[in-house]
Amino acid sequence: MTQQAVILLGPPGAGKGTQARMLAAILGYPQISTGDILREAVRNETALGLEARRYMNSGALVPDSLVDAIVKERLGRSDCAAGFLLDGYPRTIPQAGCLEGLFARDAERPFAVGIHIPDGVLVNRLSGRLTCPSCGKMFHALSSPSKAGYRCDQCGAALVTRKDDSVEVIEERLRVYHRETEPLVGFYRERGRYFEIDGDRPVEVINEAILQIIRTQGQNQGTTR
Ligand code: AMP
């Protein structure tokens, strides 16, 4: 069976994390979020966390060498054997090159689902975002508040605003996205492995659209999903 490598590509606030979590539950593939892995390292004050924090707090990207090493290690684990969902990686052309190098056969190489959404929508979404630090569920103070107030309605933990969800840092993250990450659209398009969807729609509609792409690709690749 071929391993199915799926990249969720899109600007911060596009819904990559939400979609990856939903897809992981349906497909049984692990969600691999470099942002979540880095935030955990920051919380635990590991050497990686102390190094990464400087970049993350200002909205900059963490150096490629650090995230490449995280992903290489993570993809080697047994739960990735059938497939995996990359959420927030790759974010630069060199990272995409590193990822390509991990797959020997063209049929196994990752394909990208681009979630397209205008910057104005993103600033509004990110500036009201509340995250559960325990289970990762995401809320929005206005458009999708937790049923339990400022606690997670799934696991009960107190919700937090991410340090990098302040307006100035959001604007920097969007600039970084357009400069460093958007060129990946061309990278995967040239290789015939790019599929774009409209991200300014209800979460369930987007989820269905992504699932359809993954299943069609799976049939082409000979995976069982
Ligand atoms: P995210 O949760 O994906 O928005 O990531 C939060 C922050 O972690 C980013 O703003 C970056 O500072 C860092 N980060 C996450 N993934 C990567 C990556 N693939 N390359 C570089 N930095 C990353």
Side-chain angles (χ1 to χ4, degrees), residues 2 28 41 54 59 62 66 71 91 103 117 129 159 168 192 194-196 204 209 221:
T2 308
R54 308 191 273 136
V62 170
L66 294 181
V71 169
R91 257 181 160 95
F103 301 88
I117 190 155
R129 187 156 83 167
L159 300 178
E168 305 79 63
Y194 181 73
F195 306 89
E196 188 162 282
E204 296 73 22
Q221 293 173 311

Coordinates of all heavy atoms in Angstrom, one line a residue, residues 2 28 41 54 59 62 66 71 91 103 117 129 159 168 192 194-196 204 209 221:
T2 N 0.4 2.2 -0.8 CA 1.2 3.5 -0.8 C 0.8 4.4 0.3 O -0.3 4.5 0.7 CB 0.9 4.2 -2.1 OG1 1.1 3.3 -3.2 CG2 1.8 5.4 -2.3
G28 N -8.1 8.5 10.0 CA -7.2 7.8 10.8 C -5.7 8.1 10.6 O -4.8 7.4 11.0
A41 N 7.2 22.5 22.7 CA 8.6 22.6 23.1 C 8.9 23.9 23.8 O 9.6 24.0 24.8 CB 9.5 22.6 21.8
R54 N 12.0 32.8 20.1 CA 12.4 34.1 19.6 C 11.7 34.4 18.2 O 11.3 35.5 18.0 CB 13.9 34.1 19.4 CG 14.7 33.7 20.5 CD 16.1 34.0 20.3 NE 16.9 33.0 19.6 CZ 17.7 33.2 18.6 NH1 17.9 34.4 18.2 NH2 18.4 32.2 18.0
G59 N 6.3 36.5 14.9 CA 5.7 36.1 13.6 C 6.6 35.6 12.6 O 6.2 35.4 11.4
V62 N 10.6 29.9 12.0 CA 11.7 29.2 12.7 C 12.7 28.7 11.6 O 12.2 28.3 10.5 CB 11.1 28.0 13.5 CG1 12.2 27.1 14.1 CG2 10.3 28.6 14.6
L66 N 15.6 23.4 11.8 CA 15.0 22.9 13.0 C 13.7 22.2 12.6 O 13.4 21.1 13.1 CB 14.6 24.1 13.9 CG 15.8 24.8 14.6 CD1 15.3 25.9 15.5 CD2 16.7 23.9 15.4
V71 N 10.2 17.2 11.4 CA 9.3 16.5 10.5 C 9.9 15.1 10.1 O 9.2 14.1 10.1 CB 9.0 17.4 9.3 CG1 8.3 16.6 8.2 CG2 8.1 18.5 9.7
R91 N 6.7 25.3 4.7 CA 6.4 26.7 4.7 C 7.4 27.5 3.8 O 7.2 28.7 3.7 CB 6.4 27.3 6.1 CG 5.0 27.5 6.7 CD 5.3 28.1 8.1 NE 4.2 28.8 8.7 CZ 3.4 28.2 9.6 NH1 3.4 27.0 9.8 NH2 2.5 29.0 10.2
F103 N 10.9 10.9 -0.1 CA 10.1 9.9 -0.8 C 10.8 9.5 -2.1 O 11.2 10.4 -2.9 CB 8.7 10.5 -1.2 CG 7.9 10.9 0.0 CD1 8.0 12.2 0.5 CD2 7.1 10.1 0.6 CE1 7.4 12.6 1.6 CE2 6.4 10.4 1.8 CZ 6.5 11.7 2.3
I117 N -8.1 32.1 0.8 CA -9.0 33.0 1.5 C -8.3 34.4 1.6 O -7.1 34.5 1.7 CB -9.2 32.3 2.9 CG1 -10.2 33.0 3.7 CG2 -7.9 32.2 3.7 CD1 -10.8 32.1 4.8
R129 N -9.4 34.7 17.9 CA -9.2 33.2 18.0 C -8.9 32.9 19.5 O -8.1 33.5 20.1 CB -8.1 32.8 17.1 CG -7.9 31.3 17.0 CD -7.3 30.9 15.8 NE -5.8 31.1 15.8 CZ -5.0 30.5 14.9 NH1 -5.6 29.9 13.8 NH2 -3.7 30.7 14.9
L159 N -9.4 28.3 28.0 CA -9.0 28.7 26.7 C -7.9 29.8 26.7 O -7.9 30.6 27.7 CB -10.2 29.2 25.8 CG -11.3 28.1 25.7 CD1 -12.4 28.7 24.9 CD2 -10.7 26.9 25.0
E168 N -0.6 43.1 15.4 CA 0.7 43.4 14.7 C 1.4 42.1 14.3 O 1.9 42.0 13.2 CB 1.7 44.1 15.7 CG 1.2 45.4 16.3 CD 0.3 45.1 17.5 OE1 0.8 44.5 18.5 OE2 -0.9 45.5 17.5
G192 N 2.1 19.0 -10.7 CA 0.8 18.4 -10.9 C 0.3 17.9 -9.6 O -0.6 17.0 -9.6
Y194 N -1.1 20.0 -7.0 CA -1.7 21.1 -6.2 C -3.2 21.2 -6.5 O -3.7 21.1 -7.7 CB -1.1 22.4 -6.6 CG -1.7 23.6 -5.8 CD1 -1.4 23.8 -4.5 CD2 -2.6 24.5 -6.4 CE1 -2.0 24.8 -3.8 CE2 -3.2 25.5 -5.7 CZ -2.8 25.7 -4.4 OH -3.4 26.7 -3.6
F195 N -4.0 21.3 -5.5 CA -5.5 21.3 -5.6 C -6.0 22.5 -4.7 O -5.7 22.5 -3.5 CB -6.1 20.0 -5.1 CG -5.6 18.8 -5.8 CD1 -4.4 18.2 -5.3 CD2 -6.1 18.4 -7.0 CE1 -3.9 17.1 -6.0 CE2 -5.5 17.4 -7.7 CZ -4.4 16.7 -7.2
E196 N -6.7 23.4 -5.3 CA -7.1 24.6 -4.5 C -8.6 24.5 -4.2 O -9.4 24.1 -5.0 CB -6.8 25.9 -5.3 CG -7.0 27.1 -4.4 CD -6.3 28.3 -4.9 OE1 -5.1 28.4 -4.8 OE2 -6.9 29.1 -5.6
E204 N -17.7 22.5 7.5 CA -18.1 21.2 7.0 C -18.1 21.1 5.5 O -17.7 20.0 4.9 CB -19.6 20.8 7.4 CG -19.8 20.7 8.9 CD -19.8 22.1 9.6 OE1 -20.0 23.1 9.0 OE2 -19.5 22.1 10.8
A209 N -15.0 19.0 0.7 CA -14.2 19.3 -0.5 C -12.8 18.7 -0.4 O -12.3 18.1 -1.3 CB -14.2 20.8 -0.7
Q221 N -3.5 7.0 -6.6 CA -2.3 6.5 -6.0 C -2.3 5.0 -5.6 O -1.3 4.4 -5.2 CB -1.9 7.3 -4.7 CG -1.6 8.7 -5.0 CD -1.4 9.5 -3.7 OE1 -2.2 9.4 -2.8 NE2 -0.3 10.2 -3.6

